[in-house]
Amino acid sequence: MQKISVLLFLAWVGFLFYAGIALFTSGFLLTRLELTNHSSCQEPPGPGSLPWGSQGKPGACWMASRFSRVVLVLIDALRFDFAQPQRSHGPGEPPVSLPFLGKLDYLQRILEIQPHHARLYQSKADPPTTTMQRLKALTTGSLPTFIDAGSNFASYAIVEDNLIKQLASAGRRVVFMGDDTWKDLFPGVFSQAFFFPSFNVRDLHTVDNGILEHLYPTMDSSEWDMLIAHFLGVDHCGHKHGPHHPEMAKKLSQMDQVIQGLVERLENDTLLVVIGDHGMTMTGDHGGDSELEISAALFLYSPTALFPSALPQEPEIVPQINLVPTLALLLGLPIPFGNIGEVMVELFSVVEDPQPHSSALAQASALHLNAQQVSRFLHTYSAAAQDLQIKELHRLQNLFSKASADYQRLLQSPQGAEAALQTVITELQQFLRGVRAMCIESWARFSLSFLLLHLLAAGISITTPGPFTVPWQAVSAWALMATQTFYSTGHQPVFPAIHWHAAFVGFPEGHGSSTWLPALLVGANTFASHLLFAVGCPLLLLWPFLCESQGPRKRWQPLGSEAESRVRPEEEEEPLMEMRLRNAPHHFNAALLQLGLKYLFVLGIQILACALAASILRRHLMVWKVFAPKFIFEAVGFIVSSVGLFLGIALVMRVDGAVSSWFRQLVLAQQR
């Protein structure tokens, strides 16, 4: 068997596995079609007149704006309990003392002193809880794709409709300062920007201090309509020290001072939004879907009264993407086309009007606009893709049609129809929440294509009798040793356990703006065991011969004479490994192919088991925390191992060729 044939056949089998992994990934992980449609003021989301309160208002789009400007403070990894005061477990007991509790003291005082001006919410983020995916969700109102977690090193521009583009299209000035991830997501959109490198998690102060240098002067200049400040110190402190370190208390106290400074400078037409994009685990990491990772704080404040009711006993829990349609309508902008979030109706109450039906009608108007936009998105999306559940889609559209008809009827005579308005509000909320649930379920559908290709690749086998055959037990043990080494070196197949500090090995001061080098270092640290064992796998062919004892070995041969029935030894020295390799080079190449196929088969069984577990348990609560990350790690490990195996076999063949050439020269020299 020719060497080039062995390499080509292995490459073809590897391609089958890659194709299967790609098909399963596209069919299981959160994936969807990204629409490039954009909402506009000239094109209302549905039929009907302008909502109540918009008629005759100058500059009214879908709904008259309530605020002219907004300050968005994004404190990276601001977990919900970071905004909580110190509390005792029971009466008479001392309060629980944790370094991060009670450090946002000014925020708590504002909530107590001005309950009609401020609210604290528990914002629930959709996994994966990586920064880039959360930024996409916070600006588009859509669900992130799970597989995008890997592109957190290399962000790319958002093509979907989003709040930032809507502001720019309306001629609003957007000023940004902070995490440079925004530069890649929204290139050329900001009227003014101050970007700071974000990857060096050991640096707690450079980004935050850079923001503070420009934040208050920019606010005082009034040359902005939306001011975004993305602080990173809390997130970096979590990665470096964890949430229970005294440095976290210092960082949160600094953020409290920032909030106080902003509140003191706010004008009556400005809304302050303070939000965390995600939380963090007890060790300060994030990326999964644990309660601590998806729970973030959301704080809203307005110098004018915004909330008609008193402060609730416990903060309301809202999906994080609900902020997108809420901000859009409060600023008088169209809701982004692909949004599936729900407006926070409490912010659309009419505080100055004592009549209950006025607030109910304003809330119903905002919800109806929101529902029209989501219904339009569903219609457009279902026409372009076939991955939504048809039966559930029809049910939701019927629910929306009924709620919309009831709303239009109530617009004719809103007086004294508060109970009917509340029914419409409930129906519209059921529609919006049902759409979000359907999208989450439909964009995580399993495809059987992977299984078919995997069985095809795994079914390819070759039997090669000869002295170089490696038993299955040895191949399986070698693959298991690679897995054992992965775990014994402190790795786990979950994103929070990735050794991010490996990115700074040899570069203690950081990498500047480079992202590929730290990604390469982290990848090499994570999958080193897969690579090393795969490259060394071809040596399994030679190991039995390396263990042979030196010296002559006797062959036992039967005599041909019928008179002698016994067997006597014939003094003949059996050639050692090097000579047997020279005598049967075709057996050696075929054995390399067999070994490569066996190793790929064992690795394929591992990834097949992960795929089956992820697909069978795809509706399990832990699917995005355990099974999906495990599949991704196994898939990347398989790719790294297969490439390493290919390189190892090619290297052994190259050495074999060099030894054969030297052996021929030696024989010719002896013959002379």
Side-chain angles (χ1 to χ4, degrees), residues 22 134 139 143 153 180 202 206 240 247 300 334 355 388 415 482 530:
R134 301 316 324 137
T139 54
L143 292 176
F153 289 99
D180 60 356
R202 298 171 185 240
T206 299
K240 185 177 181 180
E247 282 295 328
L300 302 177
Q355 297 298 325
L388 294 178
Q415 297 295 331
H530 297 76

Side-chain angles (χ1 to χ4, degrees), residues 97-145:
S97 179
L98 293 173
F100 54 79
L101 288 180
K103 295 301 180 274
L104 298 182
D105 180 62
Y106 182 78
L107 185 149
Q108 290 296 327
R109 282 191 281 122
I110 285 289
L111 289 170
E112 295 172 1
I113 298 173
Q114 297 180 287
H116 296 285
H117 296 250
R119 275 293 184 277
L120 176 65
Y121 297 91
Q122 184 176 355
S123 168
K124 291 288 187 179
D126 296 296
T129 49
T130 46
T131 295
M132 190 188 76
Q133 282 65 41
R134 301 316 324 137
L135 295 182
K136 289 182 178 180
L138 280 169
T139 54
T140 64
S142 60
L143 292 176
T145 51

Side-chain angles (χ1 to χ4, degrees), residues 65 84 117 153 228 331 355 504 507 542 547 566 570 641:
S65 63
Q84 294 286 85
H117 296 250
F153 289 99
I228 305 173
L331 293 171
Q355 297 298 325
F504 302 97
F507 301 89
L542 310 178
C547 298
R566 62 184 179 88
E570 179 184 349
S641 297

